[in-house]
Amino acid sequence: MKPKKLCLICVSVLLIISGFLITLLAPIVLTHVIRTQFVLTPESKLAQSWERVSSMMPMDFYFFNWTNPQDIYNRSVKPRFEQVGPYRFMMDLRKTNVTWNENGTVTYKQQKFWHFSEKGTNGSLQDRVTTLNTPALGAAHVARNWNYIVRKGLSFSLSSISVTHTVDELLFTGYPDALTKMAGTLPFFADKNIPKWDRFGWFYMRNGSSDFEGILNMETGTNSPFGTLNSWNYWTKTRYFDGNCGKVEGSSGDRFDASGNTIKMFFSELCRFLELEYVGETEVDGIVGKKYVLGGRALDNGTKYPSNKCFCTGDCMPSGVFNASSCQFGSPTFMSLPHFYNADPYYTSLVEGLGPRQDKHEFCMVLEPKTGVPLLANAKLQVNFLLHSVDAISLYEDVPTVFVPIIWFDQRATIPKKQLPMFKLLLNVPTIMTSIGGVLMVTGIVLLVVLNFYVIKKKKKKTTINQPEVSPLNPQEKCGLVSKKQLTS
């Protein structure tokens, strides 16, 4: 065989083998790339986007304006509420006090800045909202088991069931509140660790602060998957919930294990983790992801999921809300989905003006299944206060038992648009490699076929050239006949 032909055969075989190996190794290469790229180190590009999120995230606040607080002692009239908002703020998230530990973990705090955005806001920060007097109810609830004389003394300082303030005051600016100022100094409240504030607001003193969400310790990906939370305020188990409910576990929110039917995420504002359930696939920015929602598993009172009972802290309610009182200085705080979506009808039966809807009030996350990166995080939660009678405190002695909706928020986060092309390229590595492998294999096979065809054709031509010429026989000779003349001769 000529050297040129041999060389072409070798090239063809090499192309076929290379294409096959590239196709075979495509998923392995993606796994390796994910493992190497999702490791947090001080010098990595991942660390830059982790420490300072490049794009601000919208956060909408909705208040429930209480339209008939004067009827609270009339048992024939339900409390009526009107939703106002949204009031949109753009949230800037940063990591501060970052410490890289030798055991492959990182310790940090979270710092958040909120900037008001008129675009997306329905109303003004100067809108006035009437709402439950939560500092007063919180104090009464904490004092419900105190000495009768102490309760009577507290009763004289409580004068109103409701308060009316601007949205700005209710959120970040705060409004002067004598009880809030007094609670931080009284020995009765010492075990509740109530801050020494002179004003009350749901996000008072939080804007720009890194002290409210505690100290977090997370895996960097060196030894365990990046994003796995190890401890909060140096606790692996909090003091706020008993048993397994007090565990600090789940994701920090940066990355998840999307291989199962549930995921867990720890929320420091709630002092607990929340478990979300897989419900199907959906598409975000052209990428197919796994959708998880906050549903019955997280909101159950222990009836359907017995392991949830320790979240009740001894005060189990119908499914659909969870008790956050232990995390909120002992105040009767209960969290739910907005408008009591997915909750027992009991809650909406106590009030008027609410209308739960899946398309507006669902808490969901969409994860890219191979990397576990959130394609979409849409966190929606509602703060409710349990209004109930308290003996010896005149303001609350005759009130009905009602879960009063106060405020709900909607926070949305997606992959920054600048990072989307590179992320899609990463996910398409197997497809690109498989395509390249396929092209190489087809090229090799075609080359072999062409070479084989050329060899066969050349052989046929050579055989034709070397064959001797034969004179054509006449028809009689062809039949084996001879003439008379040939016989006589």
Side-chain angles (χ1 to χ4, degrees), residues 368-488:
E368 197 291 310
K370 296 184 183 70
T371 61
V373 171
L375 301 173
L376 167 69
N378 202 183
K380 301 177 183 180
L381 285 174
Q382 177 173 300
V383 180
N384 312 283
F385 260 57
L386 175 58
L387 178 64
H388 61 96
S389 63
V390 181
D391 185 43
I393 297 183
S394 57
L395 189 64
Y396 298 104
E397 279 185 320
D398 297 320
V399 297
T401 298
V402 180
F403 286 83
V404 178
I406 308 293
I407 180 177
W408 72 272
F409 61 84
D410 177 359
Q411 182 176 329
R412 184 182 177 91
T414 57
I415 294 179
K417 297 297 181 184
K418 292 181 179 179
Q419 299 176 11
L420 200 56
M422 285 301 297
F423 186 66
K424 286 184 176 180
L425 181 62
L426 171 66
L427 297 177
N428 286 323
V429 165
T431 304
I432 294 170
M433 290 183 66
T434 301
S435 300
I436 293 172
V439 169
L440 290 176
M441 284 192 289
V442 170
T443 303
I445 292 169
V446 168
L447 195 57
L448 276 179
V449 171
V450 171
L451 184 61
N452 188 50
F453 178 77
Y454 174 77
V455 170
I456 292 171
K457 187 177 180 182
K458 195 168 184 181
K459 279 184 179 181
K460 283 184 178 181
K461 188 176 181 182
K462 188 175 180 181
T463 303
T464 305
I465 293 172
N466 294 333
Q467 188 174 4
E469 291 187 10
V470 179
S471 299
L473 297 173
N474 60 50
Q476 291 179 337
E477 288 174 331
K478 289 180 182 179
C479 295
L481 298 176
V482 293
S483 63
K484 243 183 201 183
K485 188 177 179 180
Q486 287 174 320
L487 288 173
T488 56

Side-chain angles (χ1 to χ4, degrees), residues 206-379:
R206 285 178 177 260
N207 207 342
S209 174
S210 59
D211 295 330
F212 283 85
E213 295 190 25
I215 302 168
L216 303 162
N217 178 265
M218 181 190 77
E219 292 288 343
T220 61
T222 304
N223 301 316
S224 295
F226 162 61
T228 303
L229 202 65
N230 292 322
S231 67
W232 172 56
N233 288 334
Y234 305 106
W235 294 328
T236 56
K237 186 180 183 304
T238 75
R239 64 186 182 186
Y240 300 105
F241 300 100
D242 297 328
N244 291 333
C245 295
K247 284 184 177 180
V248 177
E249 61 178 338
S251 169
S252 62
D254 297 286
R255 191 181 174 212
F256 295 80
D257 178 5
S259 60
N261 290 325
T262 61
I263 57 172
K264 290 181 180 180
M265 181 176 175
F266 189 83
F267 289 81
S268 53
E269 300 95 330
L270 304 175
C271 309
R272 60 165 286 185
F273 63 84
L274 292 177
E275 194 167 9
L276 282 71
E277 305 165 69
Y278 173 69
V279 293
E281 292 186 341
T282 189
E283 189 175 299
V284 178
D285 290 324
I287 303 173
V288 177
K290 297 177 70 174
K291 181 179 178 181
Y292 293 82
V293 301
L294 188 69
R297 183 177 291 273
L299 301 173
D300 182 63
N301 60 2
T303 303
K304 188 174 181 181
Y305 301 96
S307 60
N308 268 20
K309 196 164 186 179
C310 49
F311 281 121
C312 294
T313 60
D315 195 12
C316 285
M317 300 294 174
S319 292
V321 304
F322 58 85
N323 194 342
S325 302
S326 60
C327 185
Q328 300 299 319
F329 316 115
S331 61
T333 310
F334 290 79
M335 307 298 295
S336 69
L337 292 173
H339 288 247
F340 296 112
Y341 169 67
N342 257 358
D344 191 291
Y346 164 77
Y347 298 103
T348 52
S349 71
L350 301 176
V351 297
E352 292 181 350
L354 274 62
R357 288 174 49 179
Q358 180 181 2
D359 60 330
K360 290 183 176 292
H361 307 133
E362 184 180 66
F363 183 129
C364 73
M365 294 191 75
V366 181
L367 307 180
E368 197 291 310
K370 296 184 183 70
T371 61
V373 171
L375 301 173
L376 167 69
N378 202 183

